[in-house]
Amino acid sequence: MASHVPPIRQHSPHLPFGDHQTAPLYGRDILSVKQFNRGDLEYIFGVAHEMSEMVRRVGTFDLLKGKILANLFYEPSTRTSASFTAAMERLGGSVIPINEVRYSSVSKGESLPDTVRTLEAYADVIVLRHPEVGSAALAAQYASKPIINAGDGVGEHPTQALLDLFTVLEEMKRLDGLTVTMLGDLKFGRTVHSLSRLLTLFNVKLNYVAPPSQRMPEEIVAEIAETGVPQKETPNLEEVLAETDVLYVTRIQKERFANPDDYDAIKGAYVITPETMKQAKEEMIVMHPLPRVGEIAIEVDTDPRAAYFRQVEYGLYVRMALLAMVLGKA
């Protein structure tokens, strides 16, 4: 069977010729999901969808030719770092990869503001992952080039939340009217912190399933309660699985525990298996920010409802969109 070939683009509301300096995100930092409204999301997802068509048609193109991204990672990362690198290179730009910051000038005592101000002399945009909450906002205070937050400790991970929401939209074809169940480490999981906040822009219901020690932080529950979005907390997945449209699974993060015994006590609290999926809707999806360490059995991978590897691909398109937008090309 011949594969679908998208029509040649004649005109695009998203990818202009020349810099688009009046675009919603031109020159802006991407620090928190709190900075977005529904209109922003519609535009970002429109650009991301067009990026997916361009990649399928031509693979790479020169939208960001001559632009340079500095990938500044103070914490280990495979997926997020590789995703931004691939996004920039798909757009024809170049990348300065800095994935082992502890071996750089930081080990000599250099501050984050000084590191950022140095790197922006070489690059047009900086993607930052840092173990301290608020680090991206601090960097943005001193930088004149756009800063994109790729995770600040247990705080936020806005680009992950955006790609998660784009995944839901592409897979479920809607965002309003869904029940989203978040499972696993909700205390330290910055992905669920950001996604839950972003979902308050839509008509959804949120379920939180976690061991007592890993519950969603009270301040986030209170923040979401103020928006009127229904929330339910329970330690039992079976209680909410049958009504779930999106099951968002997270791993218990061993690196966030000071006492290894505390981690060992709950690391296998929830495991999604083919038997689990028999209790779920036929039309639903399972997501995971990855990496997984046993919380989803590998046998689930062949279930068409398993969307977590498709989720990775959607992330590429969202990050392509964000890079193009902050640099005035979308």
Side-chain angles (χ1 to χ4, degrees):
M1 179 183 294
S3 60
H4 171 66
V5 178
I8 296 175
R9 180 168 60 94
Q10 300 295 331
H11 171 73
S12 169
H14 300 123
L15 305 183
F17 294 101
D19 286 357
H20 189 0
Q21 297 188 10
T22 60
L25 293 184
Y26 175 68
R28 289 177 59 187
D29 304 305
I30 308 295
L31 304 178
S32 168
V33 296
K34 296 178 183 179
Q35 72 190 79
F36 301 115
N37 57 41
R38 282 187 69 143
D40 294 329
L41 298 180
E42 289 173 4
Y43 197 89
I44 292 169
F45 296 159
V47 178
H49 185 77
E50 186 150 349
M51 291 297 184
S52 70
E53 291 194 354
M54 294 292 285
V55 168
R56 292 186 183 108
R57 172 172 287 279
V58 298
T60 61
F61 45 106
D62 291 338
L63 192 67
L64 294 184
K65 184 178 182 180
K67 301 293 186 180
I68 297 176
L69 160 68
N71 249 2
L72 178 59
F73 280 69
Y74 285 74
E75 288 186 317
S77 170
T78 299
R79 289 156 190 81
T80 303
S81 177
S83 180
F84 272 108
T85 296
M88 194 64 174
E89 293 186 353
R90 290 278 189 184
L91 292 167
S94 303
V95 181
I96 301 172
I98 309 172
N99 291 317
E100 295 291 347
V101 178
R102 65 183 181 275
Y103 298 134
S104 73
S105 296
V106 174
S107 65
K108 304 172 186 176
E110 183 174 63
S111 68
L112 175 61
D114 280 6
T115 299
V116 168
R117 285 185 289 191
T118 299
L119 286 176
E120 71 175 2
Y122 311 137
D124 301 287
V125 57
I126 297 173
V127 171
L128 173 66
R129 171 168 289 185
H130 196 280
E132 296 180 8
V133 175
S135 53
L138 174 65
Q141 290 180 20
Y142 292 89
S144 60
K145 305 285 179 65
I147 299 291
I148 299 179
N149 181 5
D152 60 340
V154 298
E156 285 206 57
H157 197 347
T159 68
Q160 179 71 45
L162 288 168
L163 77 86
D164 289 341
L165 203 60
F166 184 59
T167 299
V168 176
L169 179 61
E170 292 290 294
E171 293 280 323
M172 302 298 291
K173 307 306 178 187
R174 62 190 174 101
L175 293 170
D176 287 312
L178 298 176
T179 295
V180 179
T181 296
M182 300 179 180
L183 172 73
D185 180 4
L186 308 187
K187 179 180 180 179
F188 298 117
R190 58 193 170 198
T191 61
V192 292
H193 298 169
S194 290
L195 180 58
S196 59
R197 288 177 169 128
L198 205 54
L199 283 166
T200 62
L201 296 174
F202 301 90
N203 177 24
V204 300
K205 177 183 178 183
L206 298 178
N207 294 321
Y208 309 132
V209 181
S213 64
Q214 304 305 112
R215 294 172 57 193
M216 184 72 83
E218 292 183 3
E219 60 270 22
I220 295 179
V221 173
E223 179 183 328
I224 291 172
E226 291 180 358
T227 70
V229 169
Q231 304 173 88
K232 179 176 181 177
E233 291 188 87
T234 175
N236 299 314
L237 176 59
E238 294 79 8
E239 189 175 327
V240 295
L241 181 57
E243 69 175 15
T244 297
D245 299 297
V246 177
L247 177 60
Y248 193 98
V249 183
T250 67
R251 69 184 174 94
I252 304 297
Q253 301 179 72
K254 184 176 182 179
E255 65 271 22
R256 304 293 183 190
F257 286 79
N259 186 345
D261 292 337
D262 293 339
Y263 166 76
D264 290 337
I266 61 172
K267 65 180 180 181
Y270 305 102
V271 179
I272 306 302
T273 66
E275 287 299 313
T276 309
M277 296 303 294
K278 290 179 180 179
Q279 305 172 47
K281 292 181 178 181
E282 291 187 8
E283 297 294 330
M284 59 86 71
I285 56 171
V286 180
M287 299 173 61
H288 194 303
L290 300 179
R292 64 174 165 183
V293 289
E295 56 277 345
I296 301 178
I298 196 169
E299 291 81 7
V300 177
D301 294 358
T302 56
D303 191 312
R305 295 170 291 181
Y308 30 90
F309 289 114
R310 298 192 296 275
Q311 185 179 347
V312 174
E313 183 177 350
Y314 292 130
L316 170 66
Y317 307 137
V318 167
R319 288 174 173 137
M320 289 174 69
L322 292 173
L323 289 171
M325 293 176 77
V326 301
L327 292 174
K329 294 295 184 180

